[in-house]
């Protein structure tokens, strides 16, 4: 069964550094997303992406965050200058589109900011 | 405001017992979608079931069943004859038609512990 792939599984970075989290969505999916989960808390929406542009973003997704689909397969989340509170599990997801299609999540990247 | 409430923080059962997870949601949309996801200890999020607001038929899929009641805004999920592998955090999620597709609002999750 096709799946969403995320790399790396764990990223450790120092405060103020830039990080790029990478994702390969399911190939025939058109909608892409990033969610995050701070340890022990609920899963929170960050951003949705369709047709090479952001469809919607949450309050969390401020100017420090950006997303990009640099080629036909990858979907990246960049955090320009990491803060301690950015430490979380970041999930990439994709879906076929509307009509109640579910989100298929990757295994996540655990980001630790020290 | 919290749109998805999972009041049960943790449920512990012995293997083979049934376990029901409660989910109460809040929305003004007439069209919305509800989902259950499972997060095992390994951390991934696994899609389990979905339900449209206009389809109140309750179903059974293997050991999983769900009870969607629009009148009480509840979307409860039952695991029958639980197994140790069912130990995980279970999240209920809501997607409203007025939001862009994929903007799911998750509940806080319910930790299910199944002991042998």
């Amino acid at each position: 069964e096709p799946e969403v792939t995320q790399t790396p599984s764990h990223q450790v970075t120092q405060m103020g550094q830039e990080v790029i989290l990478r994702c390969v969505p399911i190939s025939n999916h058109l909608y892409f997303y990033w969610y995050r989960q701070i340890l022990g808390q609920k899963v929170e929406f960050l951003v949705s992406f369709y047709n090479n542009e952001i469809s919607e973003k949450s309050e969390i997704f401020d100017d420090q965050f950006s997303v990009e689909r640099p080629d036909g397969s990858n979907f990246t989340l960049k955090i320009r200058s990491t803060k301690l509170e950015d430490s979380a599990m970041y999930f990439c997801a994709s879906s076929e589109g509307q009509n109640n299609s579910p989100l298929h999540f990757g295994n996540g990247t655990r980001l630790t900011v020290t | 405001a919290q749109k998805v409430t999972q009041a049960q923080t943790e449920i512990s059962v012995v293997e083979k017992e049934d376990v029901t997870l409660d989910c109460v949601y809040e929305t003004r949309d007439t069209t919305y979608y509800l989902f259950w996801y499972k997060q095992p200890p390994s951390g991934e999020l696994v899609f389990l079931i979905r339900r449209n607001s206009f389809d109140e038929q309750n179903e059974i899929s293997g050991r999983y069943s769900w009870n969607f009641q629009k009148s009480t805004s509840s979307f409860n999920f039952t695991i029958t004859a639980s197994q140790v592998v069912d130990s995980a955090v279970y999240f209920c999620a809501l997607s409203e038609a007025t939001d862009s597709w994929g903007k799911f609002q998750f509940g806080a999750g319910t930790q299910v512990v199944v002991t042998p």
Side-chain angles (χ1 to χ4, degrees), chain A residues 20-61:
Chain A
I20 297 177
L21 309 183
R22 302 180 190 280
C23 170
V24 179
I26 295 174
S27 61
N28 64 334
H29 285 185
L30 302 176
Y31 293 76
F32 315 114
Y33 314 88
W34 284 99
Y35 280 76
R36 82 169 185 192
Q37 184 182 31
I38 294 172
L39 186 63
Q41 299 187 23
K42 66 179 179 180
V43 181
E44 301 174 290
F45 170 80
L46 290 179
V47 65
S48 57
F49 190 87
Y50 170 69
N51 201 26
N52 282 320
E53 60 183 29
I54 290 174
S55 303
E56 188 163 353
K57 57 185 180 180
S58 71
E59 295 173 352
I60 303 168
F61 195 89

Side-chain angles (χ1 to χ4, degrees), chain B residues 32-100:
Chain B
Y32 52 90
Y33 308 90
L34 295 160
F35 299 81
W36 277 97
Y37 280 82
K38 172 182 179 180
Q39 187 175 43
S42 48
E44 70 270 26
L45 284 166
V46 180
F47 164 69
L48 294 177
I49 54 175
R50 64 183 158 198
R51 181 55 60 200
N52 307 328
S53 57
F54 41 87
D55 181 2
E56 284 196 73
Q57 183 178 2
N58 294 311
E59 292 185 25
I60 297 173
S61 175
R63 293 188 299 110
Y64 298 156
S65 63
W66 49 97
N67 186 353
F68 176 37
Q69 298 278 349
K70 283 181 77 170
S71 59
T72 55
S73 297
S74 65
F75 183 49
N76 298 337
F77 173 60
T78 297
I79 305 170
T80 303
S82 60
Q83 301 173 0
V84 173
V85 293
D86 295 327
S87 295
V89 180
Y90 290 81
F91 291 97
C92 179
L94 165 71
S95 178
E96 298 174 293
T98 48
D99 281 334
S100 63

